[in-house]
Each structure stands twice: as structure tokens, then as C-alpha cells.
Amino acid sequence: MKPNTDLNEALFERARRVIPGGVNSPVRAFRAVGGTPRFVRRAQGAYFWDANDQRFIDYIGSWGPMILGHGHPAVLEAVQKAAVDGFSFGAPTEREIELAEAILALVPSMDMVRLVSSGTEAGMSAIRLARGATGRNKIVKFEGCYHGHADALLVKAGSGLATFGNPTSAGVPAEVVQHTLVLEYNNIAQLEQAFALHGADIAGLMIEPIAGNMNFVRASLPFMQRCRELCTQHGALLVFDEVMTGCRVALGSAQSVYARDLPGFAPDLTVLGKVIGGGMPLAAFGGRRAVMEQLAPLGPVYQAGTLSGNPVATACGLATLREIGRPGFFEALSRKTRSLVDGLAAAAAAEGVAFSGDCEGGMFGFFLLPELPQNYAQVMKTEGARFNTLFHGLLARGVYIAPALYEAGFVSAAHSEEDIAATVAAAREVFQTLRG
């Protein structure tokens, strides 16, 4: 029974007095959907419980890392043992090597890898490395792709071809982003023209192969192939941002999905996070040996971090990678995710609601549109008010999806068939209010 006092509201009011917006990451504030954020008290398996002790089926999973679900026994045991030995040393450990070796075994495009503490840190370091290794300044990114909140990547697209970006955030000088070119996702003609104009000056092209910050939008095979060809032709580095997709859409990450249809396909640099840390603050970037050896202390590109390779985080990551590497893990996870998306599509169709969805491995997304968008402009055609109705309708029925129209969702190994069936049933009830 819901208490007379909403403890989530009380906590939110308290938080707003001491934390900007009451949250430590903006999307948590529910500003896009309205209402009061849920303050999590505990989590286990596929669920979390809020301050009112209401249980929710969790489809954000800490925004992707909890691929095994919350509180997996093998991961808990590894973390507890590591914590007893020490939280942080500021010196090398054998476990850092073990995790690096495990990552390289899963992502063969990388010969070497550097561990860091966050996806943002990994992304900005990869860009610095691309510039240092090539001796060039310009970076290509795509509208709707998010690569962390490093200044040079906080850019929104202008109109027209290869528009130089304007800062999306206050506090980012225009000079910082003057070398960042923002193009339309999946637009081959624009990509080709950008390289024709600036190819000799482009250090790298950074892309989310499956964009998870405009919900779920894939780079088409022809587009991805052209990205690879143009980078090779012009001597630029192809940088895959797999913070979200890494070891989440497949054991070998999204690049292995593209390699199925594009034999020999591989990026030059890869940025990883989330799953490889198992829920702890851990990320990484890696690539070909000749490029990675440009990093200090071997080369002139500086990068450092006090908590990089943290012993507790590496223990958590290693335990997670061991579990997801078990035979049949991703086949089972993919079936669950597909059953959720197909179930939601069927429920929407039964109620006459426009709906399109897609998924890969344990990552999914959907739109209240008749066809899947291919770029950010098409994503923006989704009606926010209708999504908000769906979000709050599901929330009231104990289902927690991302509190924003432009975020992907995640299924874990802990989600059961009953969880998925309950989610689809809840969605159908809400779809009945969205008819027409």
C-alpha cells in the first residue's frame, strides 16, 4: 500500500536544496516527462524498489551495465573479495592485466587497451589520441550521437553540409568546437561531401554504430561501409563509441554485428564502458598497437587517471565478462529482448497505436511512429506528449522505462518471461488510452 506521504517527493524536495536540480545526472530529474523521480532504495535481479517500497520491473539497468541483473551472486562475491584487499592503490595490479586481456579477446580490432573511469573520459581521450596520432584537428560526429560531456563533443548540428558546430552547453567556448563537424546520421551523400571538402584535415570520425541516445537507431550497412572506406582513403581514424553497445548487443560488441555482413570490417579505435565495468565506474578505449603506443608514457599523447584500473571495479568487470561469455548467454538474452519488442508491437497494433521497434542483443528501442527513424530529424517527429502518457502509465503499473523519449532500453538475463508478459500487458492497457 502506498504510504500517505510520498517519500520520493520528500527526498526530491530535500535533494533540490543541496544538488542542482535534485539529481547528479540530468535525465534522472524527470524534466522531460514531468512528475517526481523515483529514488531507489534497493535492487535485485530484474527489479528495484523505490523509497515507498514500490517494486518496478527495471528496463534501464543503470543505463546498460546491469546485463546480468542486479546483485548477481558471482559478481557480488568478486567485488566483496576485492574490497577486502583494498579499495584503491594508485599502482598497477594483476587484475588490470586480466581485464585488459579479457576485453582484447572479445574485441579483436584492439591490440591494446587503456582503462579509465567513465565513458566521457574514454571518449575525450580517444579524440585526443586520434588528433595526436594523425597530427590533424578536425573531428566528424553525427547529430543525435552522444559521446559524453567532453567540451569538444557537446555540439549540436547546424543546417546544411558539414556545418561546424555550435556549443550545445553554456560554458563551452566556440573555439573549442570549431574543429568539430556535425553531419546527419545515415546520410551517405553528406558524408562523402564532408570528406571531399575536409578529408586531409580530419583526424577521426566518431560514431555510435547503434545510437542509443536518440532511442535506438542503427547505422545502415551501406553508411557504415562508406564511413570505413572514407576514413581509410583519407587517413582518418574510425572511432566506434561502444560505451552503450559494447558487450551489450553482442559478446563482440556492435562491430562484430557489422562484421557479419561486412567481412573484415573493424574500427581503428573503440570506446567501451558500462557492461565491461558491471555497474562500477569503469570504461576503456583501445585500438591498433601503433596508435595506442602514441599514449604516454610511450608517446606524446597524455592521459592519466587516479582511479584508472580500480581494483574493485576491475573485479566487478571481470566477473561480469565471465558470466556473459558462457555458451548460449547472448542467444537467450536476444530472444528475451525480441519477445519484449514484438509483444509491445503486437499490443500497439491491437489498439491501433502507431509503433515501431528494434533491438539487438540486450538493447532495444521503440517509437510511437509507423516506421523506424533513420536520423535525428526523423526521431524528433515522435510526439513527446504521447510518450509521456505511455511512460507514466507504465510507471503506475510497476514498469520503469527510460524517463526520456530519446533513450534506449535494456533487458537483462534476470528478466523472466513473466516479467516480459507483465510489461506487455501493462503497455496494452496504456495503449488503449492512446488510440487515434
Side-chain angles (χ1 to χ4, degrees):
M1 180 177 294
K2 188 175 180 179
N4 293 329
T5 300
D6 186 340
L7 296 180
N8 292 300
E9 179 59 46
L11 287 171
F12 193 38
E13 182 178 350
R14 179 180 165 195
R16 282 180 289 188
R17 291 196 293 268
V18 293
I19 302 171
V23 293
N24 284 304
S25 191
V27 74
R28 302 176 190 176
F30 279 30
R31 294 291 291 272
V33 295
T36 302
R38 300 308 188 259
F39 282 71
V40 179
R41 176 170 290 171
R42 59 190 173 93
Q44 182 63 47
Y47 317 112
F48 73 76
W49 286 260
D50 73 356
N52 294 330
D53 208 32
Q54 180 180 356
R55 193 194 80 169
F56 295 88
I57 303 173
D58 179 14
Y59 287 107
I60 64 166
S62 189
W63 301 102
M66 313 311 297
I67 193 169
L68 300 173
H70 299 282
H72 189 280
V75 178
L76 280 178
E77 181 181 6
V79 168
Q80 288 166 346
K81 287 182 177 179
V84 169
D85 292 334
F87 290 169
S88 182
F89 309 126
T93 68
E94 183 178 3
R95 197 176 298 121
E96 295 173 63
I97 307 170
E98 293 174 345
L99 181 57
E101 290 170 342
I103 292 170
L104 297 181
L106 296 178
V107 189
S109 68
M110 299 192 296
D111 298 322
M112 304 182 84
V113 64
R114 175 65 64 85
L115 302 181
V116 294
S117 298
S118 73
T120 289
E121 187 182 356
M124 74 177 191
S125 300
I127 290 299
R128 183 184 304 153
L129 178 58
R131 285 173 163 156
T134 62
R136 302 173 179 180
N137 292 328
K138 289 184 174 59
I139 296 295
V140 172
K141 75 174 293 287
F142 297 93
E143 186 177 15
C145 286
Y146 176 69
H147 305 296
H149 59 88
D151 284 0
L153 298 172
L154 275 180
V155 185
K156 60 184 177 183
S159 59
L161 166 67
T163 304
F164 287 103
N166 296 311
T168 297
S169 171
V172 179
E175 293 82 2
V176 173
V177 296
Q178 64 179 319
H179 298 300
T180 304
L181 295 90
V182 185
L183 307 178
E184 185 176 76
Y185 200 75
N186 278 324
N187 188 326
I188 293 176
Q190 195 176 96
L191 177 71
E192 291 175 338
Q193 291 176 359
F195 271 90
L197 288 172
H198 305 288
D201 299 318
I202 295 174
L205 179 157
M206 180 173 261
I207 186 171
E208 285 184 279
I210 300 174
N213 286 282
M214 49 178 162
N215 204 309
F216 185 107
V217 179
R218 297 175 186 262
S220 71
L221 284 172
F223 179 71
M224 189 60 76
Q225 183 175 20
R226 201 68 184 114
C227 286
R228 177 66 278 175
E229 291 171 347
L230 287 167
C231 284
T232 300
Q233 178 184 339
H234 292 274
L237 299 183
L238 177 59
V239 185
F240 257 33
D241 181 346
E242 298 224 45
V243 167
M244 194 172 292
T245 56
C247 302
R248 163 56 80 170
V249 300
L251 186 59
S253 305
Q255 55 198 265
S256 71
V257 175
Y258 283 92
R260 296 173 196 164
D261 298 299
L262 300 172
F265 176 87
D268 298 304
L269 287 173
T270 299
V271 178
L272 296 169
K274 298 188 185 290
V275 169
I276 65 165
M280 287 284 186
L282 188 147
F285 64 102
R288 302 195 312 267
R289 186 174 302 274
V291 176
M292 293 300 291
E293 287 182 341
Q294 297 298 308
L295 283 173
L298 297 179
V301 179
Y302 192 75
Q303 183 277 327
T306 298
L307 296 177
S308 295
N310 177 271
V312 182
T314 51
C316 187
L318 266 174
T320 299
L321 293 185
R322 290 192 189 104
E323 293 301 315
I324 69 174
R326 295 186 185 280
F329 178 90
F330 267 93
E331 290 79 4
L333 182 64
S334 297
R335 285 194 298 270
K336 288 182 184 181
T337 311
R338 173 53 62 185
S339 69
L340 173 64
V341 173
D342 288 349
L344 292 173
E351 302 303 330
V353 173
F355 183 95
S356 55
D358 195 5
C359 62
E360 189 72 49
M363 180 174 166
F364 71 93
F366 62 83
F367 302 88
L368 300 179
L369 296 170
E371 296 181 356
L372 287 169
Q374 297 300 305
N375 55 54
Y376 185 69
Q378 294 174 4
V379 168
M380 292 295 288
K381 294 179 181 178
T382 297
E383 295 182 43
R386 288 167 64 81
F387 173 82
N388 293 353
T389 298
L390 176 61
F391 171 80
H392 282 288
L394 291 175
L395 193 68
R397 291 165 176 81
V399 177
Y400 193 90
I401 62 172
L405 179 62
Y406 309 115
E407 302 284 352
F410 305 96
V411 173
S412 76
H415 284 88
S416 66
E417 293 181 5
E418 291 76 17
D419 294 327
I420 291 170
T423 301
V424 171
R428 182 162 184 178
E429 290 181 7
V430 185
F431 285 144
Q432 291 173 2
T433 70
L434 294 174
R435 290 174 179 169

